[in-house]
Amino acid sequence: MGTITIELFQEQAPISVDNFLTYVEAEHYDDTVFHRVIQTFMIQGGDNRTMPTRPAIKNEAENGLKNDKYTVAMARTGEVDSATDQFFINTVDNDFLNNGVRDFGYAVFGRVTDGTAVVDTIAATPVSNTVPNEAVLILSIRRK
């Protein structure tokens, strides 16, 4: 659907950024999909069922960064320190995902600097139970 450029916040979220870049360098995200899309919440990608994940990382949600529209955060389970390869892009301000609002929160580690229209297009994709009716492919993620 287009190119999305993300600025990574190495200083505020070094563990999350290093984790993400390790997956990028391993081409872990190539030919994966945005597998969960909720227009008024977020678009989630990173799940690669054909490749193993690295160990879960420490949650950096206390870094002061907020889950604002177009920020990128680590997805996790109900366990605080359970993030591995999955990430999401907030499509609205999601204050309830911030540290201390309802629980520990979700660690923001970047923000979209170019391609917000692409994010909006993905978010508007027709879905069934949050899964896009037609696959939204991530061809690759590369460092500049």
Side-chain angles (χ1 to χ4, degrees):
M1 294 185 166
T3 300
I4 299 170
T5 302
I6 298 170
E7 172 188 12
L8 300 175
F9 301 133
Q10 180 70 43
E11 187 174 309
Q12 297 96 326
I15 296 168
S16 300
V17 169
D18 288 347
N19 179 69
F20 181 75
L21 290 176
T22 298
Y23 283 112
V24 167
E25 296 299 323
E27 299 179 358
H28 181 86
Y29 299 120
D30 292 6
D31 300 316
T32 59
V33 297
F34 280 100
H35 62 277
R36 186 171 177 226
V37 172
I38 304 172
Q39 185 170 17
T40 59
F41 179 34
M42 57 86 214
I43 61 174
Q44 184 172 333
D47 186 17
N48 187 335
R49 294 171 193 235
T50 65
M51 295 179 76
T53 60
R54 298 168 34 80
I57 61 172
K58 178 174 175 18
N59 188 329
E60 297 177 293
E62 293 179 305
N63 64 15
L65 299 172
K66 305 296 183 199
N67 281 277
D68 293 335
K69 187 173 186 176
Y70 302 125
T71 58
V72 184
M74 293 303 303
R76 63 175 176 84
T77 67
E79 287 187 41
V80 171
D81 295 327
S82 60
T84 57
D85 59 342
Q86 295 186 43
F87 62 91
F88 61 92
I89 301 173
N90 290 288
T91 58
V92 297
D93 290 347
N94 285 313
D95 295 335
F96 73 99
L97 297 179
N98 294 333
N99 177 254
V101 174
R102 68 173 191 178
D103 63 14
F104 193 82
Y106 291 75
V108 171
F109 68 95
R111 72 177 168 91
V112 175
T113 57
D114 191 36
T116 56
V118 176
V119 172
D120 294 340
T121 300
I122 295 168
T125 300
V127 299
S128 296
N129 296 322
T130 76
V131 178
N133 294 341
E134 293 186 30
V136 179
L137 192 63
I138 298 172
L139 297 175
S140 67
I141 299 177
R142 297 289 182 260
R143 285 181 88 160
K144 281 191 168 183

